[in-house]
Structures are given as C-alpha cells and as structure tokens.
Amino acid sequence: WPSVEKGLEEVYRTLKPGGRFFATTFLWGVPDELINLSKTLGVNPINRAYRFFSVPELEGLMYDAGFDDFKVEKRRNCAIIRCRKQPAPTDE
C-alpha cells in the first residue's frame, strides 16, 4: 500500500463487526542479503516496494486504524498480525 495507515483504516472500515484481519510483514533486522538485493537489482531505495517495521510501530498502526483487539507476534525477522474488529453491541 502506498499509505499503510490509510490501507489499515480501510481494512477496519470494511470489516464486519467481529471480522478478522491477518497479515505478515518484515521487521527491522532482516538479513543483509535481502536489503542488498535492491542494490543488486539496481532499485533506488526511495522506489522500493517494501517497508520494515518494529513490533511497537505495528501495534501503533493497528491501534490507530481502530483495532483494539490485536496481537503482533514476532517470528524471527517477520511479524504475524492478528486483528479482530469488535462485535456490534447487543441489545439486552
């Protein structure tokens, strides 16, 4: 997504109450081989199609998008993100 923030807000907006969103992404600290791949391929870092995150940054992005039920799990140099939009309140 050109704007991760706007993309996540749209995911949250379009999910039904109780809906779930799962994602994976790279964390800072990926192997140098991957970072240097862009140099090998002659890709300008400004035009790269990837972005690295920290776990706290991902947690902030999920919270800012509207999720309050989420978990960001670190697995080596990747993150697994699980989010759930709160169910609609029931009238009792």
Side-chain angles (χ1 to χ4, degrees):
W1 295 323
S3 169
V4 174
E5 294 83 354
K6 288 180 182 178
L8 289 170
E9 288 170 6
E10 185 66 6
V11 167
Y12 183 83
R13 185 189 71 77
T14 58
L15 275 178
K16 292 180 181 181
R20 296 175 187 270
F21 170 67
F22 298 89
T24 60
T25 191
F26 294 115
L27 296 172
W28 282 107
V30 298
D32 289 338
E33 293 82 16
L34 183 59
I35 294 171
N36 292 329
L37 182 60
S38 63
K39 292 178 188 175
T40 304
L41 296 174
V43 176
N44 182 337
I46 295 172
N47 297 327
R48 69 180 185 228
Y50 55 86
R51 179 174 162 190
F52 300 110
F53 299 91
S54 67
V55 170
E57 181 183 12
L58 289 167
E59 291 170 339
L61 287 166
M62 299 309 126
Y63 182 81
D64 290 347
F67 293 103
D68 56 3
D69 183 3
F70 61 85
K71 180 180 179 182
V72 178
E73 178 183 344
K74 181 179 179 180
R75 292 226 181 151
R76 299 176 117 194
N77 294 325
C78 295
I80 300 171
I81 305 152
R82 297 174 178 92
C83 303
R84 181 172 161 258
K85 187 172 183 176
Q86 290 296 323
T90 58
D91 295 329
E92 292 184 35

